[in-house]
């Protein structure tokens, strides 16, 4: 037996008992006549003591030679600690060591394995197996495990069946680029890793399973934007004989359950907002509603003056930032420069200070009088002490820019509190999006999303106006889940493929298996997939998903710990009938 107790288990009630502990040496302190050793495992830290009066010279010398991260086993008696440490649960006791065995020595680690480490992110990713020994990382992974267990518990209680679907599938055009895998046994042919189990879960509904779920890895070979991973985990769900309301109710209840069981928070309100309303009020389809600063459109009260910037703009829009009228000129200039950064892309910003005496001071006082500025304040609901920030230009770009500014100001003002949770359903998305470069439409979600009832005919006359029977669940400004009612008949699916630019032959080649299945009695069905990585991060009070993934990739999609991706040797290439032709 390597241990009778963990390193976080011993208390005053254990005083006088003989115990065996195993773990890593966290630190040693040698005072000459006494040596203290902190031994650590994932359960906690226990202080060991060896001294000249009660310990043999050989054992004391052995303890003095222990290095950081040595793996050791000790046997000894639990005694009361003379100098207690209230910061750790084991702080009232220590173990007087009578036997010490070195199970494995360790090189000096490249960074300190403590809560506050001196290792930068790149170094810690290279030695991730050491980083995982740190308590914050362990706590995140334990937290992820707890969330996953609760998800399984809830869905199983609702009658869902967990089914595994294949990882080696057929490459299909679903939006992002596929990761492909060459097949040795089928020369010149390739599998793809799934972007999602979309078609398989629909086939399970055709198979009559009724309620399916899976906690599943998904893969997308795309350029990594902020906080994205090439492989990610979904809570994938599908239900038969349901309408949108049925699905929303189930997953509202799952979210409420997780918030209560994991965070101890009770949420009753799940407001619903259309896509158009979200874009108009917040400039994006996943608004953070923990705070206000809704958009106010100023076209009617700013144009037709002598200010050409506004007169030529498709959209003039603003937010009222609470309490920010106190910003100095230097702070305001810095804010203008912030919106001009390439990441935001605005040409500039007009601002109005709402003074405490009810007057206004603006960068465009030359063009707008106090009555004009009072109308701006009325549109935004600005109060004395607030700062009105105005952007203008192309409607879509300007909304995106102001959305970024809104989130930045909320962060600066401390309005994005991680212990507050504000869920929101966004519904009635456009079915199709127009690619301005090609002039072609593509599916906003995926090709299997059903249009809203009664709108199928619009595909021929006004495809951009068709609304999808689709919905996203937003939590604290992050999309944590999304889904739709699916198309379940061959004719509608064929119509959808046609409007997405597929010829009948292309649709048959890519998705013939699904369309064939629809001929054998496919039930009405729909589903939703949660992004588990993002969900866990938000429930954990953070927004970086990498902190909750055991072995994440970096921003270039590389695993710097195992140095992947990597080349393969010529023999493997020959086996796979592949020849490299890398273009410079």
């Amino acid at each position: 037996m390597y241990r009778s107790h963990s390193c976080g288990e011993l208390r005053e009630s254990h005083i006088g008992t003989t115990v065996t502990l195993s773990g890593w040496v966290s630190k040693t302190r040698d005072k000459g006549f006494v040596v203290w050793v902190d031994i650590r495992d994932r359960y906690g830290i226990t202080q060991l003591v060896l001294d000249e009066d009660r310990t043999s010279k050989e054992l004391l010398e052995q303890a003095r030679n222990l290095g950081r991260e040595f793996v050791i086993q000790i046997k000894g008696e639990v005694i009361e600690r003379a100098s207690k440490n209230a910061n750790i649960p084991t702080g009232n006791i220590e173990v007087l060591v009578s036997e010490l065995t070195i199970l494995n020595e360790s090189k000096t680690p490249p960074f300190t394995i403590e809560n506050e480490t001196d290792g930068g992110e790149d170094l810690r990713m290279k030695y991730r197996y050491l980083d995982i020994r740190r308590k914050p990382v362990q706590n995140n992974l334990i937290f992820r495990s707890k969330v996953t267990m609760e998800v399984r518990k809830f869905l199983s209680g609702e009658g869902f069946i967990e089914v595994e679907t294949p990882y080696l599938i057929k490459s299909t055009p679903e939006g992002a680029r596929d990761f492909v895998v060459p097949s040795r046994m089928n020369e010149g042919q390739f599998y793809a890793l799934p972007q999602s189990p979309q078609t398989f879960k629909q086939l399970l509904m055709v198979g009559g399973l009724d309620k399916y779920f899976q906690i599943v890895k998904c893969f997308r070979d795309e350029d990594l934007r902020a906080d994205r991973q090439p492989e990610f985990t979904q809570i994938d769900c599908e239900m038969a004989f349901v309408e949108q309301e049925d699905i929303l109710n189930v997953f509202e209840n799952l979210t409420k359950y997780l918030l209560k069981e994991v965070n101890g928070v009770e949420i009753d309100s799940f407001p619903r907002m259309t896509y158009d309303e979200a874009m108009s009020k917040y400039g994006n389809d996943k608004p953070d509603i923990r705070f206000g600063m809704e958009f106010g459109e100023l076209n009617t009260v700013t144009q037709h003056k002598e200010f050409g910037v506004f007169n030529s703009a498709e959209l003039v829009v603003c937010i009222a930032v609470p309490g920010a009228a106190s910003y100095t000129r230097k702070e305001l200039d810095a804010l203008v420069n912030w919106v001009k950064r390439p990441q935001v892309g605005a040409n500039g910003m007009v601002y109005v200070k709402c003074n405490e005496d009810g007057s206004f001071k603006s960068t465009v006082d030359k063009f707008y009088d106090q009555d004009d500025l009072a109308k701006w304040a009325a549109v935004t609901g600005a109060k004395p002490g607030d700062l009105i920030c105005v952007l203008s230009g192309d409607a879509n770009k300007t909304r995106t820019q102001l959305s970024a500014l809104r989130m930045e100001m909320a962060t600066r003002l401390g309005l994005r509190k991680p212990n507050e949770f504000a869920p929101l359903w966004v519904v009635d998305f456009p079915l199709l999006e127009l690619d301005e470069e090609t002039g072609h439409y593509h599916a906003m979600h995926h090709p299997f999303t059903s249009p809203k009832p009664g709108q199928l005919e619009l595909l021929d006359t006004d495809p951009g106006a068709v609304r999808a029977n689709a919905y996203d669940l937003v939590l604290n400004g992050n999309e944590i889940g999304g889904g739709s009612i699916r198309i379940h008949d061959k004719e509608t699916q064929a119509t959808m493929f046609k409007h997405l630019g597929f010829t009948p032959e292309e649709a048959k080649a890519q998705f013939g298996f699904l369309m064939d299945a629809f001929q054998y009695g496919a039930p009405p069905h729909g589903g939703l997939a949660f992004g588990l990585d993002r969900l866990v991060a938000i429930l954990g009070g953070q927004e970086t998903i990498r902190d909750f993934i055991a072995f994440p990739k970096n921003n270039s999609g590389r695993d710097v710990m195992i140095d992947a991706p990597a080349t393969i040797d010529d023999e493997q290439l020959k086996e796979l009938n592949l020849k490299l032709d890398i273009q410079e």
Side-chain angles (χ1 to χ4, degrees):
M1 182 173 65
Y2 279 107
R3 56 188 178 185
S4 60
H5 298 78
S6 75
C7 295
E9 187 176 348
L10 300 176
R11 302 290 187 271
E12 287 178 294
S13 60
H14 295 96
I15 290 174
T17 60
T18 298
V19 298
T20 303
L21 303 180
S22 293
W24 288 266
V25 173
S26 182
K27 64 175 65 171
T28 61
R29 298 178 298 285
D30 185 356
K31 295 296 185 183
F33 61 91
V34 61
V35 175
W36 289 284
V37 179
D38 286 349
I39 184 174
R40 179 193 70 236
D41 61 13
R42 82 168 173 91
Y43 305 98
I45 291 178
T46 296
Q47 179 170 283
L48 312 176
V49 61
L50 305 93
D51 62 44
E52 292 179 345
D53 295 333
R54 297 173 290 184
T55 306
S56 70
K57 289 182 179 180
E58 294 78 14
L59 191 57
L60 199 58
E61 191 61 28
Q62 190 181 14
R64 288 193 172 107
N65 290 323
L66 291 175
R68 281 193 294 141
E69 301 308 309
F70 276 36
V71 185
I72 64 171
Q73 178 190 46
I74 66 94
K75 187 174 182 180
E77 181 185 352
V78 182
I79 62 175
E80 185 175 2
R81 186 165 168 171
S83 179
K84 295 181 172 56
N85 182 354
N87 295 320
I88 57 174
T90 61
N92 289 342
I93 60 91
E94 59 189 2
V95 177
L96 178 62
V97 177
S98 57
E99 297 178 23
L100 189 158
T101 304
I102 296 175
L103 301 175
N104 215 330
E105 295 185 356
S106 172
K107 292 172 60 177
T108 301
F111 54 86
T112 56
I113 300 176
E114 296 175 351
N115 290 357
E116 300 297 328
T117 181
D118 57 357
E121 185 175 33
D122 290 343
L123 185 63
R124 289 187 288 109
M125 289 303 100
K126 181 175 176 61
Y127 297 95
R128 183 62 166 176
Y129 46 85
L130 297 179
D131 196 38
I132 289 174
R133 291 183 195 169
R134 296 194 309 115
K135 202 63 180 173
V137 181
Q138 289 187 349
N139 286 342
N140 285 345
L141 297 180
I142 293 167
F143 183 82
R144 181 187 178 111
S145 175
K146 179 179 180 181
V147 173
T148 305
M149 293 288 191
E150 294 297 343
V151 167
R152 282 195 163 96
K153 187 188 300 184
F154 177 88
L155 292 174
S156 296
E158 292 289 319
F160 284 79
I161 301 166
E162 186 167 10
V163 182
E164 294 180 17
T165 53
Y167 278 168
L168 295 176
I169 66 169
K170 181 180 183 179
S171 182
T172 56
E174 292 184 35
R177 191 179 293 108
D178 286 330
F179 282 101
V180 294
V181 181
S183 170
R184 179 184 59 81
M185 293 182 291
N186 299 275
E187 183 177 346
Q189 295 185 314
F190 296 82
Y191 298 106
L193 300 180
Q195 296 181 31
S196 80
Q198 181 62 46
T199 54
F200 288 100
K201 64 184 178 183
Q202 292 191 249
L203 292 172
L204 289 172
M205 295 303 101
V206 177
L209 282 188
D210 192 65
K211 289 183 177 181
Y212 140 93
F213 87 98
Q214 182 181 191
I215 296 177
V216 60
K217 280 285 186 187
C218 302
F219 307 86
R220 291 179 185 172
D221 185 11
E222 57 186 352
D223 295 335
L224 297 183
R225 290 176 281 166
D227 205 31
R228 292 285 183 95
Q229 291 282 297
E231 54 180 322
F232 55 96
T233 306
Q234 282 186 181
I235 308 165
D236 200 55
C237 306
E238 197 80 1
M239 304 165 67
F241 301 109
V242 289
E243 297 177 333
Q244 176 176 300
E245 197 65 26
D246 300 308
I247 295 173
L248 267 55
N249 286 336
V250 168
F251 294 103
E252 254 183 47
N253 289 335
L254 171 58
T255 308
K256 289 178 182 178
Y257 174 83
L258 291 174
L259 284 168
K260 183 176 180 181
E261 294 299 318
V262 176
N263 296 86
V265 173
E266 300 222 18
I267 297 287
D268 294 323
S269 176
F270 276 70
R272 299 183 186 182
M273 184 180 296
T274 66
Y275 170 86
D276 290 342
E277 185 182 0
M279 295 302 294
S280 173
K281 287 185 174 181
Y282 301 102
N284 69 64
D285 57 7
K286 47 182 183 298
D288 191 336
I289 59 171
R290 285 175 292 180
F291 55 93
M293 289 195 275
E294 292 185 9
F295 289 10
E297 296 189 8
L298 299 178
N299 289 54
T300 58
V301 293
T302 60
Q303 293 179 332
H304 314 300
K305 295 282 184 175
E306 296 180 8
F307 191 51
V309 173
F310 285 173
N311 287 340
S312 62
E314 183 182 2
L315 177 68
V316 183
V317 65
C318 65
I319 54 172
V321 182
S326 61
Y327 272 32
T328 65
R329 176 59 184 269
K330 183 178 180 181
E331 289 174 316
L332 290 168
D333 287 346
L335 196 58
V336 172
N337 289 333
W338 188 91
V339 301
K340 288 182 177 180
R341 297 180 316 145
Q343 299 93 319
V344 180
N347 291 324
M349 184 184 83
V350 169
Y351 59 81
V352 182
K353 286 187 173 185
C354 302
N355 298 321
E356 294 292 348
D357 63 4
S359 65
F360 303 95
K361 179 63 181 172
S362 172
T363 46
V364 289
D365 286 338
K366 178 180 177 181
F367 303 99
Y368 300 95
D369 60 26
Q370 293 290 299
D371 288 341
D372 292 325
L373 299 178
K375 292 176 183 176
W376 299 15
V379 169
T380 61
K383 300 178 178 59
D386 292 352
L387 178 73
I388 301 173
C389 299
V390 189
L391 299 182
S392 62
D394 172 82
N396 291 336
K397 289 180 180 178
T398 303
R399 284 196 178 97
T400 301
Q401 293 159 0
L402 191 60
S403 175
L405 177 61
R406 176 180 180 267
M407 295 297 280
E408 173 67 15
M409 297 310 297
T411 300
R412 293 186 185 190
L413 295 170
L415 301 178
R416 303 182 67 197
K417 298 175 182 176
N419 58 347
E420 291 183 6
F421 298 95
L424 169 74
W425 285 109
V426 178
V427 298
D428 294 354
F429 283 82
L431 183 68
L432 305 174
E433 278 185 308
L434 182 65
D435 186 323
E436 293 182 0
E437 291 186 8
T438 65
H440 297 144
Y441 282 99
H442 61 85
M444 191 165 193
H445 284 78
H446 53 64
F448 317 108
T449 300
S450 173
K452 296 284 282 189
Q455 296 200 4
L456 182 63
E457 294 75 16
L458 277 175
L459 281 173
D460 291 320
T461 57
D462 190 3
V466 181
R467 285 305 182 248
N469 211 340
Y471 33 82
D472 280 357
L473 181 56
V474 177
L475 185 61
N476 294 1
N478 292 273
E479 178 198 334
I480 61 166
S484 64
I485 298 297
R486 322 300 186 190
I487 296 169
H488 68 277
D489 65 278
K490 183 179 178 180
E491 290 73 22
T492 304
Q493 189 64 72
T495 300
M496 184 67 172
F497 285 144
K498 181 185 78 172
H499 285 281
L500 291 173
F502 290 88
T503 66
E505 293 75 22
E506 289 170 336
K508 176 70 175 175
Q510 295 284 356
F511 301 106
F513 63 94
L514 183 65
M515 299 178 77
D516 287 347
F518 283 173
Q519 299 178 94
Y520 292 94
H525 60 282
L528 180 143
F530 278 86
L532 179 64
D533 309 303
R534 182 82 53 203
L535 174 63
V536 170
I538 295 170
L539 294 179
Q542 301 179 42
E543 292 194 4
T544 304
I545 64 173
R546 243 186 308 204
D547 293 340
F548 292 85
I549 297 173
F551 299 103
K553 307 288 191 294
N554 68 11
N555 288 337
S556 300
R558 293 196 65 83
D559 185 327
V560 295
M561 182 184 67
I562 63 172
D563 194 24
T567 58
I568 60 175
D569 61 38
D570 291 340
E571 192 60 34
Q572 286 178 289
L573 289 171
K574 186 176 179 181
E575 270 192 338
L576 295 167
N577 298 296
L578 293 177
K579 183 179 180 180
L580 296 182
D581 182 16
I582 299 173
Q583 303 296 316
E584 294 295 335

